[in-house]
Amino acid sequence: MNATAFITFIVVTFLVGVISWFKTRRHKITTSAGLFLANRTLSFTAVGSALFFTNISAAEFVGSSESVYVNNMTVMAWGISSVFAMLVVSEFVIPVYLKGAMSTTPDFLENRYDRGTKKLVSFLFLISYMVNLLPIVLYSGAVALNGLFHFSDIWHISYGSSIWILVWCIGLVGSLYSILGGLKAIVISDLVLGICMFTGALLLAYFGLSHVGNGNLQEGIHTILTSKTEHFNSIGTSADAVPFSTIFTGMILMNLFYWGTEQVIVQQALASSDLETSQKGIALACAGKLLGPLLFILPGIIAVHMYSSMQNTTEVFSRVVSDVSPPILSGFIAAVIFGAAITSFSPGLNSASTLFTLNLYKPFKEKKGRTVTEADLLRNSKRFEMFASLLAMFIAPLIIFSSDTFYTFMQKINAAFSIPIFTIMFVGFVTKKVPPIAAKVGLGFCFTGYILTQIVFDTGIHFLHILAILFLLTTTIMLIIGKLFPMEKAYMAQNKQVVDLKPWKNRHWVNGLLLLIMILLFVLFSRSGIAT
């Protein structure tokens, strides 16, 4: 990549930072609510873009393109089917959180079970963020940037060494963003990057298809629709990385966990000014998810027609951008990738700090009889963010030794933490008398069962089906304990009346339209559609 592309990258990145600073310069962070929840003042466009871009990191660009190139579009199921989960969360879960004025999802567990369950789950979340979420965001961003700029060649160092350096660059910038700007600065960046991302995706599609058609856009479209069309198939068989049947077992559970209980995601929705705003924002994020095939999958399809083989398939997306784009667009997309890494890393860091500060540090100090001021919370939250970011930066480069494709590796690690937490959250939502001991037993059983089936015993069953089996077994165990040792007093949710809980009146027809588009996309990208 030449100097023009690099200058464009620097200019666009600088402009995003300046716009974020300009929009937040009067937003002084003096309380934990301001740092973690932007004082609950976000509009629906801010909520929607924050949800979408917190979810979209460089991992989506890197992982989706690689999976399509190596296999087919079955990876699309993760993003497209999540629309159903998001709408379920919008209708049934977010109202509960807002009603209880909750700052973290484990707050619900304290109300439903006890403080010990809240602390245990908060600790699991923190472990997940520091050894999984944050390192994966850093690693995928480093892979994408190295593929675009070829730093390992420019610096005359090994590929692994360049990944180490880029991981630390992204981590340091992301840490400053979160520590100095809080959630408000992150959300403003998301809005700006949203415009840039969709613009870049359309331009990349144009240049990529034109390249495949030897300079002719229509010829490029004709080529990808008439040759190697098996890569368009999103209906996976048992031989594919994502069999279609898994959508209805472990995948739906992981999506419900991610959009309904994952702190880094839910925190964006909890920062809304009222329930209607939150539901509108989630619908907007759903629309963004439905555009996923254009944003993340088309580059993989283009790569199928450009390269017969690749030594390092994690660089599929980066190589397409480098080979088909003019220098200005390459630099522009590199800035978007860098921004996507930052706006996924920073919210993750912010959410980890929220969990530590409010759920572990503050209760620990209060238990010792000490008064915890807002200044104490802010100071210690920033210290924890520094610690978490440093740990993530040390772990991230080690992902290079994974034997799975990047996207599969990411989802398998996520599952170890997500399903145990989701299961006890689910039982807590649908029952009133299952006791705290059942939640603790359920966590231990589900987590241990997953580790054993993935590391010790070779079951031959897809890991997503294993998750569904463990969910059913854990739920059954918790219900049995609840039957034998029920709580004396049934759980009753309290309305703390912090925000307006009037729902969005147009949500039903909008949600119905979103679900219809979701189904039509699966039909389009199948053997009944264009994958003939």
Side-chain angles (χ1 to χ4, degrees):
M1 189 175 285
N2 62 24
T4 303
F6 189 74
I7 292 171
T8 304
F9 166 76
I10 296 297
V11 169
V12 173
T13 302
F14 176 76
L15 286 176
V16 171
V18 168
I19 292 171
S20 300
W21 170 82
F22 182 78
K23 290 289 186 179
T24 59
R25 67 192 190 283
R26 295 190 179 92
H27 177 74
K28 303 300 182 183
I29 300 177
T30 57
T31 66
S32 55
L35 179 66
F36 301 137
L37 294 173
N39 291 318
R40 299 188 189 271
T41 58
L42 299 186
S43 64
F44 88 91
T45 53
V47 170
S49 59
L51 284 170
F52 182 71
F53 284 100
T54 298
N55 169 243
I56 302 305
S57 67
E60 293 290 335
F61 294 94
V62 172
S64 296
S65 295
E66 179 191 25
S67 185
V68 173
Y69 178 79
V70 173
N71 193 22
N72 52 31
M73 282 182 62
T74 51
V75 70
M76 179 186 93
W78 282 106
I80 301 301
S81 68
S82 67
V83 169
F84 172 77
M86 294 166 73
L87 296 179
V88 170
V89 169
S90 174
E91 185 70 21
F92 300 108
V93 180
I94 293 299
V96 174
Y97 291 152
L98 292 178
K99 183 178 182 180
M102 299 173 188
S103 299
T104 68
T105 51
D107 286 344
F108 169 77
L109 296 174
E110 180 179 22
N111 295 340
R112 174 59 183 83
Y113 297 114
D114 62 4
R115 184 168 293 180
T117 305
K118 173 184 177 179
K119 289 181 179 179
L120 182 59
V121 170
S122 297
F123 182 73
L124 284 177
F125 266 128
L126 287 175
I127 296 297
S128 174
Y129 288 170
M130 289 188 288
V131 305
N132 179 43
L133 174 67
L134 296 177
I136 281 175
V137 169
L138 293 176
Y139 175 77
S140 59
V143 167
L145 289 175
N146 187 69
L148 287 166
F149 289 114
H150 308 292
F151 286 116
S152 52
D153 296 331
I154 295 172
W155 296 332
H156 302 292
I157 58 176
S158 68
Y159 177 78
S161 298
S162 65
I163 295 299
W164 271 97
I165 294 171
L166 291 170
V167 158
W168 279 76
C169 290
I170 297 171
L172 290 173
V173 175
S175 301
L176 289 174
Y177 230 84
S178 179
I179 293 171
L180 299 179
L183 186 63
K184 186 76 173 180
I186 296 166
V187 169
I188 295 299
S189 295
D190 287 339
L191 285 168
V192 178
L193 283 168
I195 299 171
C196 294
M197 181 177 290
F198 286 109
T199 302
L202 290 172
L203 291 173
L204 179 60
Y206 171 79
F207 285 106
L209 292 171
S210 297
H211 184 88
V212 172
N214 296 315
N216 188 304
L217 175 64
Q218 292 181 334
E219 184 64 29
I221 295 173
H222 176 75
T223 299
I224 68 167
L225 291 178
T226 55
S227 65
K228 302 181 180 180
T229 55
E230 65 275 8
H231 285 270
F232 276 118
N233 186 34
S234 66
I235 310 299
T237 66
S238 58
D240 291 307
V242 187
F244 189 69
S245 58
T246 60
I247 294 176
F248 308 99
T249 57
M251 188 180 295
I252 190 172
L253 297 177
M254 286 191 68
N255 276 329
L256 285 170
F257 163 81
Y258 184 79
W259 294 100
T261 63
E262 179 70 86
Q263 177 65 26
V264 71
I265 286 294
V266 175
Q267 190 166 333
Q268 321 298 320
L270 297 183
S272 59
S273 54
D274 52 47
L275 176 59
E276 179 179 356
T277 299
S278 184
Q279 290 177 330
K280 286 181 179 179
I282 293 174
L284 181 61
C286 286
K289 294 297 289 181
L290 293 174
L291 291 171
L294 172 64
L295 290 172
F296 317 118
I297 292 175
L298 184 56
I301 294 291
I302 292 171
V304 168
H305 293 82
M306 291 178 59
Y307 316 116
S308 58
S309 64
M310 285 190 68
Q311 184 176 2
N312 183 4
T313 55
T314 56
E315 291 193 342
V316 166
F317 176 81
S318 303
R319 188 167 173 184
V320 168
V321 174
S322 297
D323 290 349
V324 309
S325 304
I328 290 179
L329 178 59
S330 296
F332 182 82
I333 291 177
V336 172
I337 294 292
F338 181 75
I342 297 301
T343 56
S344 291
F345 182 75
S346 297
L349 206 55
N350 188 272
S351 295
S353 177
T354 305
L355 289 166
F356 170 78
T357 305
L358 300 184
N359 294 359
L360 298 177
Y361 172 78
K362 185 178 180 182
F364 175 76
K365 289 295 184 181
E366 290 176 341
K367 187 177 180 180
K368 289 194 168 187
R370 299 180 183 177
T371 301
V372 183
T373 65
E374 289 291 339
D376 290 332
L377 294 178
L378 289 174
R379 181 172 57 255
N380 283 281
S381 68
K382 292 177 180 180
R383 288 175 178 173
F384 180 80
E385 287 187 21
M386 293 172 63
F387 165 75
S389 62
L390 288 172
L391 181 61
M393 285 186 273
F394 276 110
I395 293 174
L398 303 179
I399 298 175
I400 198 172
F401 299 109
S402 168
S403 59
D404 284 314
T405 62
F406 179 70
Y407 209 93
T408 301
F409 167 81
M410 180 173 66
Q411 298 299 351
K412 281 186 175 181
I413 299 298
N414 283 340
F417 298 94
S418 61
I419 297 305
I421 295 173
F422 172 76
T423 303
I424 68 167
M425 292 282 288
F426 171 79
V427 174
F429 269 106
V430 300
T431 67
K432 302 295 182 183
K433 285 196 170 185
V434 172
I437 187 62
K440 297 178 178 67
V441 170
L443 275 175
F445 173 81
C446 196
F447 184 81
T448 303
Y450 181 77
I451 297 300
L452 290 176
T453 57
Q454 299 305 304
I455 297 177
V456 180
F457 304 109
D458 184 8
T459 62
I461 304 174
H462 195 282
F463 83 97
L464 288 173
H465 292 319
I466 290 289
L467 292 180
I469 294 170
L470 288 172
F471 169 75
L472 293 174
L473 289 175
T474 306
T475 300
T476 301
I477 291 171
M478 292 182 66
L479 292 177
I480 291 173
I481 294 174
K483 188 72 173 178
L484 296 175
F485 310 101
M487 295 168 58
E488 293 183 4
K489 186 178 180 181
Y491 165 71
M492 292 292 293
Q494 294 181 341
N495 186 356
K496 295 187 178 180
Q497 300 180 339
V498 173
V499 298
D500 186 358
L501 296 176
K502 181 181 178 181
W504 179 28
K505 65 179 181 179
N506 294 324
R507 69 191 186 283
H508 295 305
W509 72 264
V510 172
N511 294 350
L513 178 61
L514 290 168
L515 289 174
L516 177 61
I517 295 173
M518 179 190 75
I519 294 170
L520 291 176
L521 282 172
F522 278 113
V523 175
L524 175 65
F525 297 109
S526 71
R527 291 189 175 90
S528 299
I530 63 176
T532 55

